[in-house]
Amino acid sequence: MTTITGSRKGRSSASLSGWANRHRKWVFAAPAMVFVALLIAFPLGWTLYLSLTDASGSIRAPHDFIGMANYLDVLTDVDRFWPAVGRTAIFTVGAMVIEMVLGMAIALLLWRPFRGQGLVRVIILLPLVATPVAVGMMWRLIFEPTIGFANQLLSWVGIPAQPWLAGEATALPTLIFVDIWQWTPMVVLILLAGLTSLSDEPDEAARVDGANAWQRFWHVTFPLVMPTFITAILLRGIDALKTFDILYATKGKGGGSFHEVETLNVYAYGLSFDYNKYGESSAVLVIFFLMIIGCIWLLTIRKKKAGDR
Amino acid sequence: MAKTDTSLLVTTSPVQRRRPRGRGYKTFRVIMLVLVAVTFLAPILWMLLASFKTNVDIYNPGAAFVFSPTTKNYDTVFGQADYIQFIWNSFFVAAVATVLSLLLAVPAAYSMSRFVMKKSAVLVLLARVIPGVSLLVPWYFVFANMRIVGTYTPLVLSHMFVSLPLILYIMMSFFDSMPEDLEEQAQVDGLTPIGAFLRITLPLSVPGIATSSILSFIFSWNNFMFALVLSGASTKTLPVAIFDFVGYASIDWGGLMAAAVVVTIPIMVIALFTQKYIVSGLTAGATKG
């Protein structure tokens, strides 16, 4: 019906609007696609090109093609690059795993209706919309070693004060905690949407068969929400990998004086905008990007398998 | 969206009625829920409290909860003449980026949803995956060479990069769940396909557009990295302006917390009034598997 009417209109008035109607698929999509291509494809291409040059210093300074030298430099850099890879992995995996477990638990708590459900849901929404930089500053005060509330709380229960963000070893775990605080609600919302779209029948059947709550969750509910679960892993994983705001807000340039929270993102940012080493920074970014694509590829395969079941 | 809510009511309440859980589980659940609520709410309240304290009270553990509130910190924030300007910058950039992204993304989402252009959609959604820095370097090169770093243009363009894929994604899942019958009927009645889109589909899309606009505004308002590099002294957005309270030697904690409240509270108030839209936007497409 659509096409018949569309083409008749188009032929009868060989005008611009007729043409636009016949090709509306592309007329509608093209502006957004051109914009995104300009803003993404071109920069990605340029990053790839810059990574093969010695671009540094002033952005108008001439630069030469130096082949794979940046990549060699980066991949043999055991002082900054590889530790940054390690921290990125620890931060991403640590935050993601705990967020998924906590998120699942909270989603199950909120699943069945109860009085005050709306209020709890609203409270859970607040960290999600809070400005990450402000959240970073807020936790910076709470985790301040001498005046922070965290250590005050510890002193009430008789535990000695911790350096939290100020400590070389404690800073990264503390920031994982902050990420968990801010983004677990995201996992909760997604899993809750997945849970509420489930039919009750499999759960009922298992109940009739005498399965206990844990068995019903592990063998019935969890496999059913698996695709949603993996969607949540993907979303959280990607965002955790790219975390910048709270790291920069709490620890500043270089991820702290000992680079204790310097992830790949913070490292690449610093190379570009603090040290103006655009070539080397681009090489880091290309490697980083390939890592992300690799992880997504692995997870998507897993999701397809889960969906097939 | 609404679908989810209905299924919640329809499918779960009979089960609840038939088999009430034990008292033990109920108590456990209440305790856990209170714990969850406190964990997510308390830090925000703490920030709010600190913003009404003098720095002396912030440094005094005895004044943790009992102190004489002062608006001095807010005077500091708003006393800095530029802060009104920064609030305006944040608002202006987020609003313009959202409107421009809507203009580009809504028709594109419609087209990609109706004509099943999943491959083009994947290309655009790549935007979600790329680390912002890898775009920032080339953008900076281009904008610096055009000598427009520090103006609104690069800010709006970079924030559109956040908004456009977000709106596209939400609107695609919105159009996917919208029946085509009405558009076809309108075409039978003599409207052109584009006319049908403009006069039938678009008015029916208002909830989806509201959802994506609100989220786009929030994400743009909260964005930090792009403005950190691309804004100038007078075009700074709020998340960047917060750093004015972090000095090299010391931090004005009271001022910093007041600034953090000024950035966060407006967005939280918006979120409270529009929570249904936000939830449906954040979970758009997530359950399709």
Side-chain angles (χ1 to χ4, degrees):
Chain A
M1 189 62 76
T2 317
T3 43
I4 296 167
T5 327
S7 52
R8 183 171 49 73
K9 285 264 170 194
R11 234 176 280 128
S12 63
S13 63
S15 62
L16 187 65
S17 83
W19 178 86
N21 270 308
R22 263 177 287 127
H23 299 281
R24 66 189 185 287
K25 174 177 172 179
W26 293 107
V27 170
F28 277 9
M33 286 170 75
V34 169
F35 180 83
V36 171
L38 280 177
L39 240 65
I40 294 180
F42 156 73
L44 276 186
W46 200 345
T47 303
L48 201 60
Y49 159 74
L50 275 182
S51 72
L52 301 171
T53 72
D54 62 353
S56 63
S58 158
I59 62 152
R60 285 190 200 83
H63 46 259
D64 293 318
F65 187 79
I66 55 166
M68 301 299 284
N70 283 326
Y71 289 91
L72 274 178
D73 281 352
V74 168
L75 290 172
T76 55
D77 173 8
V78 290
D79 294 329
R80 297 283 289 274
F81 177 76
W82 287 109
V85 172
R87 284 185 215 104
T88 308
I90 293 170
F91 183 87
T92 306
V93 175
M96 197 178 69
V97 168
I98 302 173
E99 279 161 25
M100 293 311 296
V101 173
L102 279 178
M104 190 78 230
I106 297 173
L108 287 173
L109 277 176
L110 285 167
W111 184 15
R112 305 299 187 189
F114 61 93
R115 265 171 62 193
Q117 195 175 33
L119 184 68
V120 180
R121 284 191 186 199
V122 165
I123 291 173
I124 278 181
L125 202 60
L126 293 180
L128 273 180
V129 295
T131 310
V133 172
V135 167
M137 295 300 185
M138 173 182 97
W139 285 107
R140 196 168 162 169
L141 174 60
I142 294 173
F143 282 128
E144 222 284 335
T146 48
I147 61 171
F149 185 67
N151 277 337
Q152 235 165 281
L153 204 63
L154 289 189
S155 74
W156 291 344
V157 287
I159 300 173
Q162 302 296 318
W164 303 115
L165 289 164
E168 209 181 323
T170 51
L172 198 61
T174 308
L175 281 164
I176 291 177
F177 171 87
V178 175
D179 195 78
I180 291 167
W181 180 85
Q182 183 155 35
W183 296 111
T184 299
M186 183 77 171
V187 180
V188 174
L189 288 184
I190 292 174
L191 290 181
L192 208 49
L195 284 172
T196 46
S197 70
L198 292 183
S199 144
D200 256 348
E201 279 156 28
D203 192 60
E204 289 282 296
R207 204 188 283 261
V208 172
D209 291 344
N212 65 31
W214 171 253
Q215 287 169 329
R216 288 202 312 277
F217 167 71
W218 189 245
H219 295 292
V220 180
T221 311
F222 188 63
L224 286 173
V225 288
M226 198 60 184
T228 311
F229 195 76
I230 291 175
T231 303
I233 292 183
L234 265 172
L235 283 174
R236 270 319 300 149
I238 292 165
D239 285 348
L241 268 173
K242 298 194 296 178
T243 302
F244 179 79
D245 302 24
I246 56 162
L247 301 180
Y248 194 92
T250 48
K251 299 297 292 185
K253 291 178 180 177
S257 38
F258 300 99
H259 311 304
E260 58 268 31
V261 302
E262 188 174 71
T263 59
L264 275 176
N265 216 13
V266 175
Y267 181 47
Y269 179 89
L271 274 180
S272 282
F273 297 106
D274 297 335
Y275 297 102
N276 302 329
K277 291 182 181 172
Y278 301 109
E280 208 180 321
S281 164
S282 298
V284 172
L285 286 166
V286 171
I287 298 170
F288 187 22
F289 186 59
L290 291 177
M291 288 177 179
I292 296 180
I293 296 291
C295 294
I296 291 173
W297 182 68
L298 284 174
L299 274 169
T300 322
I301 290 174
R302 184 81 188 78
K303 180 175 171 176
K304 277 210 188 96
K305 276 190 190 150
D308 288 344
R309 243 186 270 148
Chain B
M1 234 177 284
K3 219 193 309 170
T4 326
D5 288 338
T6 336
S7 70
L8 182 86
L9 289 173
V10 173
T11 57
T12 58
S13 27
V15 180
Q16 286 275 309
R17 233 182 298 120
R18 245 178 289 147
R19 242 182 324 278
R21 304 242 197 178
R23 193 168 286 257
Y25 174 77
K26 269 188 185 160
T27 319
F28 169 77
R29 179 153 112 151
V30 168
I31 293 171
M32 292 314 285
L33 284 170
V34 169
L35 206 65
V36 166
V38 167
T39 311
F40 287 120
L41 196 58
I44 299 168
L45 291 178
W46 189 251
M47 168 177 81
L48 205 57
L49 277 184
S51 74
F52 288 104
K53 287 178 189 174
T54 60
N55 278 325
V56 176
D57 280 341
I58 289 178
Y59 277 89
N60 175 12
F65 297 103
V66 185
F67 58 95
S68 44
T70 168
T71 56
K72 184 183 124 317
N73 297 318
Y74 290 93
D75 293 344
T76 314
V77 169
F78 291 106
Q80 293 186 345
D82 289 345
Y83 234 80
I84 302 292
Q85 177 72 39
F86 300 149
I87 294 173
W88 166 249
N89 292 343
S90 273
F91 178 81
F92 178 77
V93 171
V96 174
T98 300
V99 170
L100 292 180
S101 299
L102 278 175
L103 289 177
L104 292 177
V106 173
Y110 175 78
S111 174
M112 288 176 182
S113 165
R114 283 290 185 267
F115 303 103
V116 202
M117 297 160 72
K118 294 297 176 205
K119 284 202 177 112
S120 337
V122 167
L123 258 181
V124 179
L125 294 175
L126 200 64
R128 277 286 278 114
V129 179
I130 301 166
V133 206
S134 59
L135 304 172
L136 202 43
V137 177
W139 287 349
Y140 187 67
F141 267 70
V142 173
F143 294 139
N145 276 311
M146 292 166 76
R147 297 177 196 282
I148 55 169
V149 170
T151 65
Y152 286 120
T153 314
L155 277 181
V156 169
L157 286 175
S158 64
H159 282 229
M160 279 177 74
F161 162 77
V162 181
S163 305
L164 199 140
L166 184 81
I167 297 175
L168 192 75
Y169 189 64
I170 295 172
M171 290 313 291
M172 269 177 66
S173 80
F174 186 86
F175 287 129
D176 280 347
S177 63
M178 194 166 144
E180 283 176 71
D181 306 5
L182 281 169
E183 293 158 28
E184 285 170 6
Q185 190 57 46
Q187 286 178 38
V188 173
D189 292 347
L191 280 177
T192 61
I194 291 182
F197 169 74
L198 291 175
R199 292 174 57 182
I200 309 292
T201 315
L202 219 46
L204 290 173
S205 314
V206 167
I209 292 173
T211 298
S212 50
S213 310
I214 295 161
L215 275 181
S216 154
F217 188 88
I218 292 177
F219 277 60
S220 172
W221 177 278
N222 286 348
N223 189 283
F224 169 64
M225 190 203 273
F226 295 148
L228 183 62
V229 173
L230 297 174
S231 68
S234 63
T235 53
K236 250 190 260 188
T237 56
L238 282 174
V240 180
I242 285 186
F243 282 86
D244 293 353
F245 291 91
V246 182
Y248 282 104
S250 67
I251 294 178
D252 174 8
W253 285 111
L256 183 63
M257 288 305 114
V261 168
V262 169
V263 188
T264 313
I265 296 300
I267 221 72
M268 282 188 175
V269 171
I270 294 176
L272 288 182
F273 285 108
T274 58
Q275 36 148 328
K276 267 185 194 157
Y277 294 106
I278 293 182
V279 173
S280 71
L282 287 176
T283 54
T287 55
K288 271 188 275 173

